[in-house]
Amino acid sequence: MTPTIPAPPQVTVVGIGADGWPGLPEGSRAALRAAGTVIGGPRQLALLPDEECAAERVAWPSPLRPAVPGLLARYAGRRLAVLASGDPLFYGIGRTLIETAGAGAVRVLPHPSSLSYACARLGWPVEETETVTLVGRPADRLAAALHDGRRVLVLSAGAATPAEVAALLTDRGYGPSRLTVLEQLGTEAEAAYDGAAATWDHGPADPLNVIAVDCRRDPGALRLGAVPGLPDAAYENDGQLTKRHVRAATLAALAPAPGELLWDVGGGSGSIGVEWLRTHPSCRAYAVERDPERAARIGRNAARLGVPQLTVVTGPAPDALAGLPTPDAVFVGGGLTAPGLLDRCWAALPAGGRLVANTVTLESEALLADWYRRHGGDLVKLAVAHAVPVGGFTGWRQAMPVTQWSVTKTAAAVAAAAAAEDSGL
C-alpha cells in the first residue's frame, strides 16, 4: 500500500515580535526569505528589511476576516507567508487561516506571545494568569474575570485602553486593584509603569501595550462568585427576575458546557442568559423578551456583569424564535401558555438538547404536567423560605413555590418527530 504523502502547506504564518527581524529565529527568517508574497498589518510589514525579504508585501484590508478566503485564492500556488504579532494562535490570525484553509494547509511558526513576555517580566505563572482580550471587543468583557486576588492580563486595543480599564475596575468595585502597563514588550524601548485603578492618572499609553491587573475588591463592593446563583442585588430588575436559589437550580438543570448555545425565552432581567455565559467564555446565548424596556435592561445587566456578548431579541415568542441558531438548551421563564411556544422550543432542540421551564401559575403547571407525562424528564417543585423579623422574634416567609420541568431530548424523540413529519401527521 502506497503511503499517503501530505500536501505541502499553502501558507506559512510567521509570528513576529515588536523587535522585528532581529528577534526572529532562523527558521522564521528562512520562510520569509523564500516567500513570494507576504501579507500582514502595516506595522508588521514595516519590520521586514528590504535586503533580507524581497517578497511582494500586501497589507490586510479592513474588515480582515471576510477578506481571508479571497486573498488565499488570489495567491494560491505562490509561496505565501503571513505575518502575525507574537504567537499566531494566541488571539491571532492563525485561527482564521486554519478555519478557512484547514490545519494541513497552514504551517505556523510561533513567536513568544505578549502573555509570555508579560508574565516573564512580572514573575506571574502563565498557567495561573487569566487573559482577556479587548482588541475589537467591549471593555465590559473584563468584568466577568474580576475576582479578589486573581491576576488578569488584558490585551489592549490601543493607547486609551489602560485608562478605560482603570475606570471599569473602579466602577465595578475593584478600585484598589493594581494596574501595570507594559509597553513595547521585547524591544529596546520596553517600559512599564503602574498605579491603583481608583487613582489612575497616567496619560495615553504607547499603542503597543498590555495591562496586568492584580485584582483587589473594595470591601464594600458586592461579591460575585464564580458559580450560578449571583446575589439578586447584582441585577437591575422590575421584579421579573428568577430569584437566586431558583436560578442556581435552573442553571444546574440546564447544565451549560463550553461552546454551547442557550435560548433564554421570556428573558425578564436576563439572569439565566447572563449566568449561562459566565460559566465559560465560549458559551453563547440569546435572550428573547417581548417588552422593549425589559430587553434594554437585559442588555445593561449583561454588560455590567461581564457578558456583553449576550444577544437580546426583542419580540414575542414563539414568533421571535424564527431564524435563531439551533440551541443546545432552552429555558422558558415566561409565556408558557403562549400557543405553540413549547412545541417550537422542543422542535428546535437536537438530540441531547435540554429544555427547562419554570412557572408559578396553576395553568402553566398543568401544561408542564402534560408535557412531563408525554416526554418524561424531571418535574419538581422548588420552595424557598427566608427568615424575617416577626415582632421581637424571627419566622419564615415563604416565597411562591416554583414548578420546574427539565428534560433531555433523546435521539428516539428526534426520529419520531421526523417520521411524523414525513407521514404528514
Side-chain angles (χ1 to χ4, degrees):
M1 184 176 181
T2 304
T4 301
I5 301 175
Q10 298 177 18
V11 56
T12 298
V13 190
V14 178
I16 189 169
D19 53 350
W21 188 265
L24 290 176
E26 183 53 37
S28 296
R29 293 183 184 183
L32 292 169
R33 290 192 192 103
T37 301
V38 177
I39 303 176
R43 184 178 64 81
Q44 286 101 8
L45 291 172
L47 296 173
L48 301 182
D50 294 335
E51 62 274 14
E52 293 278 1
C53 182
E56 174 191 8
R57 303 183 188 189
V58 178
W60 285 115
S62 181
L64 186 154
R65 189 180 179 95
V68 169
L71 285 171
L72 292 181
R74 183 185 308 168
Y75 295 104
R78 300 191 61 176
R79 292 169 297 175
L80 178 62
V82 170
L83 286 178
S85 294
D87 186 341
L89 290 174
F90 183 68
Y91 294 106
I93 190 63
R95 174 179 177 174
T96 300
L97 292 169
I98 289 172
E99 289 175 348
T100 303
V106 181
R107 177 189 179 207
V108 178
L109 301 176
H111 189 276
S113 67
S114 55
L115 169 64
S116 295
Y117 271 124
C119 287
R121 301 296 186 264
L122 297 165
W124 290 4
V126 173
E127 71 274 11
E128 295 180 6
T129 301
E130 186 166 357
T131 304
V132 176
T133 180
L134 300 186
V135 180
R137 297 168 174 85
D140 287 318
R141 290 176 63 95
L142 176 59
L146 301 179
H147 298 283
D148 200 27
R150 291 292 292 170
R151 292 166 169 173
V152 181
L153 190 74
V154 180
L155 305 184
S156 177
T161 304
E164 189 176 9
V165 166
L168 182 140
L169 289 166
T170 304
D171 179 66
R172 300 306 198 274
Y174 279 80
S177 299
R178 199 78 186 169
L179 273 63
T180 302
V181 177
L182 302 111
E183 300 177 340
Q184 292 286 338
L185 281 166
T187 73
E188 293 182 357
E190 186 174 310
Y193 50 92
D194 63 8
T199 56
W200 190 258
D201 59 357
H202 298 279
D206 183 279
L208 195 63
N209 73 83
V210 297
I211 308 154
V213 182
D214 193 358
C215 297
R216 293 289 179 267
R217 182 172 59 89
D218 191 303
L222 187 66
R223 183 181 180 277
L224 303 180
V227 299
L230 298 182
D232 293 344
Y235 292 95
E236 177 190 348
N237 71 89
D238 62 356
Q240 291 296 312
L241 173 70
T242 302
K243 299 301 191 290
R244 181 180 195 176
H245 299 92
V246 174
R247 191 184 329 127
T250 300
L251 266 295
L254 287 167
E260 289 191 327
L261 185 145
L262 171 75
W263 288 0
D264 179 3
V265 182
S269 300
S271 63
I272 298 297
V274 164
E275 296 193 27
W276 170 280
L277 291 173
R278 283 175 61 93
T279 63
H280 197 272
S282 65
C283 285
R284 296 167 294 151
Y286 287 77
V288 180
E289 172 54 54
R290 66 180 303 157
D291 182 83
E293 186 174 341
R294 287 178 179 162
R297 187 179 294 117
I298 291 172
R300 293 194 296 272
N301 281 328
R304 182 154 192 85
L305 293 169
V307 288
Q309 68 271 31
L310 175 63
T311 302
V312 182
V313 178
T314 305
D319 292 346
L321 304 177
L324 297 187
T326 299
D328 297 288
V330 176
F331 171 66
V332 183
L336 269 171
T337 56
L341 175 58
L342 272 181
D343 298 275
R344 179 75 69 89
C345 293
W346 183 251
L349 285 170
R354 289 91 62 203
L355 189 149
V356 178
N358 291 354
T359 187
V360 296
T361 70
L362 293 175
E363 292 79 7
S364 293
E365 184 178 275
L367 181 65
L368 293 184
D370 180 60
W371 277 77
Y372 169 67
R373 177 184 58 80
R374 290 188 284 139
H375 298 286
D378 290 305
L379 188 65
V380 301
K381 191 174 289 288
L382 305 172
V384 177
H386 295 272
V388 296
V390 179
F393 300 92
T394 303
W396 293 107
R397 175 172 294 162
Q398 187 79 35
M400 290 185 70
V402 175
T403 299
Q404 181 180 93
W405 177 54
S406 59
V407 65
T408 298
K409 191 172 184 180
T410 64
V414 174
E421 185 176 349
D422 289 343
S423 64
L425 297 177

